[in-house]
Amino acid sequence: MRKRIFIFGMAVFTFLFCLAGCGQSNEAGQEKTEITRAGAVEYDSSLITVGFIQTGKESAWRDANTADFLNTFTVEKGYNLIYIDGNSDSDRQIKAAFDLIAQEVDYIIIDPIVENGWKDVLTEASAKNIPVIVSDRQVNLNASNYACWVGSDFYQEGVNGAGWLENYLVSQDKDREKIKIVLIEGTKGATATIGRTEGIMERLEKNPNWEIVARECGNFTQGEGTNVMKKILEEGIEFDVLITENDNMMFGAMKAMDQKEIKYGRGTDIITISFDALGEALDLVQTGKLMVSVECNPLIAQLAEKAIQKLEEGKRVEKVNFVEEMVFTYENVGAYRKDRKY
Ligand code: GZL
């Protein structure tokens, strides 16, 4: 049952001081101040009001993911989307979720910066019968706390990236050599970081000749990717493989290696592996500077919309809804680059 909601977005308390002659006087002949409240904006209750709380703007992947939601939940398609930028602040996200509950929206979609801290607000949403869809990253709670989750299989992405490395080393007859790996991880506690790292470590355990010689956090940002790689190079750490858990950190790390005139990519001694598969990354795969970009598809808004439509029809929704993804390499990228939407 869609709730009628009044958005007080325009409700501005306006103190109108009437000009002389247009004010009203009380019995004692004293001027009094007129207080006029702008009318509450009554929303068209035929629309489905969806509150979407995004992580922030930490990466180009994120921008593409946000654009996908803004382009999916439009008035033309029957939605009133309230978009909230989490500004990379988990507390801000949780406060925004409580606010959306107070506004009695019809649905809440959250992309949690980190998995912890969501129990109270999801309990409140459930008590007010507002279904919550978790998108992209996950919450560290039983699935009964939310309607469903839509996004990527991060563990499989990690396995895919490290699996490619296994096959590549065999092709280069290096599968029995000592392989030194630098791993630059995403935000600590983020599902994408947890899953990718677990997948990479699963393959590492199968390859005892692999060693992680440096493991740093780059928070999924380009700037931190540069800073972390600068630190690694200043420490004189030598490595054969650089794995970054998103393309923006790879771009940053490449900048640091360029500054030291270090060669990387196809035909060099440094193998480069990244995640997200941004258009810019695919360009680098085509040149060979980036050897693999494991796709993390940001275009998941349609999965969230499908879930909302099912809930509107009173139908059951699957708890876990994976988006399709690929692994882009020098050999296959040409066939896909031109059609990329981000
Ligand atoms: C993955 C997403 C990650 C991306 C990063 O689904 O959570 O966050 O891989 C983004 O680029 O910052």
Side-chain angles (χ1 to χ4, degrees), residues 201-321:
M201 294 306 177
E202 189 265 352
R203 300 321 299 162
L204 192 91
E205 285 164 17
K206 300 277 194 300
N207 294 275
N209 56 314
W210 294 6
E211 178 193 359
I212 291 189
V213 294
R215 181 174 171 180
E216 299 284 351
C217 173
N219 266 321
F220 289 129
T221 71
Q222 198 151 321
E224 292 182 71
T226 299
N227 295 341
V228 158
M229 180 49 77
K230 274 183 179 172
K231 172 172 170 277
I232 289 166
L233 296 175
E234 283 160 6
E235 290 171 359
I237 294 172
E238 294 187 347
F239 55 95
D240 309 297
V241 182
L242 168 61
I243 302 176
T244 61
E245 290 187 346
N246 87 330
D247 291 333
N248 286 91
M249 293 189 294
M250 177 58 79
F251 302 156
M254 285 175 169
K255 181 180 174 186
M257 291 190 285
D258 290 344
Q259 287 167 348
K260 294 284 188 185
E261 297 181 347
I262 294 170
K263 300 297 178 202
Y264 49 82
R266 280 173 66 85
T268 75
D269 294 334
I270 295 179
I271 296 165
T272 48
I273 299 170
S274 183
F275 295 81
D276 279 356
L278 300 175
E280 187 180 347
L282 300 192
D283 292 339
L284 290 170
V285 172
Q286 282 186 297
T287 65
K289 281 184 178 284
L290 177 58
M291 297 174 74
V292 189
S293 191
V294 179
E295 183 178 23
C296 178
N297 191 344
L299 308 182
I300 51 183
Q302 78 272 21
L303 292 180
E305 186 189 17
K306 279 185 189 139
I308 287 175
Q309 286 304 324
K310 280 188 173 179
L311 291 166
E312 283 287 294
E313 295 159 11
K315 292 179 181 170
R316 184 180 164 279
V317 290
E318 291 298 325
K319 279 292 182 184
V320 175
N321 304 270

Side-chain angles (χ1 to χ4, degrees), residues 47-332:
L47 297 175
I48 299 171
T49 297
V50 177
F52 172 45
I53 305 172
Q54 181 59 287
T55 60
K57 299 183 178 70
E58 76 279 2
S59 67
W61 185 98
R62 186 62 57 199
D63 296 342
N65 179 249
T66 298
D68 189 44
F69 274 89
L70 298 182
N71 296 330
T72 298
F73 290 97
T74 60
V75 171
E76 295 71 27
K77 292 177 73 177
Y79 300 98
N80 163 44
L81 180 68
I82 302 172
Y83 166 71
I84 294 158
D85 177 349
N87 202 26
S88 297
D89 177 342
S90 189
D91 289 341
R92 176 187 167 96
Q93 286 193 308
I94 291 166
K95 286 191 184 82
F98 276 114
D99 179 52
L100 289 171
I101 294 168
Q103 288 185 54
E104 297 187 351
V105 297
D106 296 305
Y107 296 90
I108 294 174
I109 302 173
I110 58 173
D111 193 327
I113 294 166
V114 292
E115 297 193 345
N116 294 326
W118 291 93
K119 178 63 181 171
D120 291 348
V121 73
L122 294 191
T123 301
E124 178 72 3
S126 175
K128 296 290 175 44
N129 297 313
I130 299 176
V132 174
I133 292 171
V134 183
S135 172
D136 174 27
R137 301 184 188 175
Q138 297 180 17
V139 294
N140 188 14
L141 293 169
N142 181 288
S144 61
N145 285 277
Y146 49 85
C148 68
W149 170 83
V150 295
S152 301
D153 184 344
F154 302 113
Y155 175 81
Q156 190 56 48
E157 290 177 4
V159 169
N160 290 347
W164 176 89
L165 177 60
E166 276 179 320
N167 296 332
Y168 179 75
L169 291 171
V170 168
S171 74
Q172 302 297 307
D173 199 22
K174 291 185 174 180
D175 53 306
R176 288 177 298 282
E177 290 183 11
K178 184 81 174 160
I179 300 295
K180 292 176 285 199
I181 299 170
V182 165
L183 174 59
I184 301 180
E185 294 181 285
T187 303
K188 187 173 174 52
T191 313
T193 305
I194 295 167
R196 287 170 189 159
T197 296
E198 284 178 353
I200 292 164
M201 294 306 177
E202 189 265 352
R203 300 321 299 162
L204 192 91
E205 285 164 17
K206 300 277 194 300
N207 294 275
N209 56 314
W210 294 6
E211 178 193 359
I212 291 189
V213 294
R215 181 174 171 180
E216 299 284 351
C217 173
N219 266 321
F220 289 129
T221 71
Q222 198 151 321
E224 292 182 71
T226 299
N227 295 341
V228 158
M229 180 49 77
K230 274 183 179 172
K231 172 172 170 277
I232 289 166
L233 296 175
E234 283 160 6
E235 290 171 359
I237 294 172
E238 294 187 347
F239 55 95
D240 309 297
V241 182
L242 168 61
I243 302 176
T244 61
E245 290 187 346
N246 87 330
D247 291 333
N248 286 91
M249 293 189 294
M250 177 58 79
F251 302 156
M254 285 175 169
K255 181 180 174 186
M257 291 190 285
D258 290 344
Q259 287 167 348
K260 294 284 188 185
E261 297 181 347
I262 294 170
K263 300 297 178 202
Y264 49 82
R266 280 173 66 85
T268 75
D269 294 334
I270 295 179
I271 296 165
T272 48
I273 299 170
S274 183
F275 295 81
D276 279 356
L278 300 175
E280 187 180 347
L282 300 192
D283 292 339
L284 290 170
V285 172
Q286 282 186 297
T287 65
K289 281 184 178 284
L290 177 58
M291 297 174 74
V292 189
S293 191
V294 179
E295 183 178 23
C296 178
N297 191 344
L299 308 182
I300 51 183
Q302 78 272 21
L303 292 180
E305 186 189 17
K306 279 185 189 139
I308 287 175
Q309 286 304 324
K310 280 188 173 179
L311 291 166
E312 283 287 294
E313 295 159 11
K315 292 179 181 170
R316 184 180 164 279
V317 290
E318 291 298 325
K319 279 292 182 184
V320 175
N321 304 270
F322 286 132
V323 67
E324 290 187 18
E325 299 178 330
M326 287 185 62
V327 177
F328 292 101
T329 64
Y330 185 75
E331 291 75 18
N332 72 11

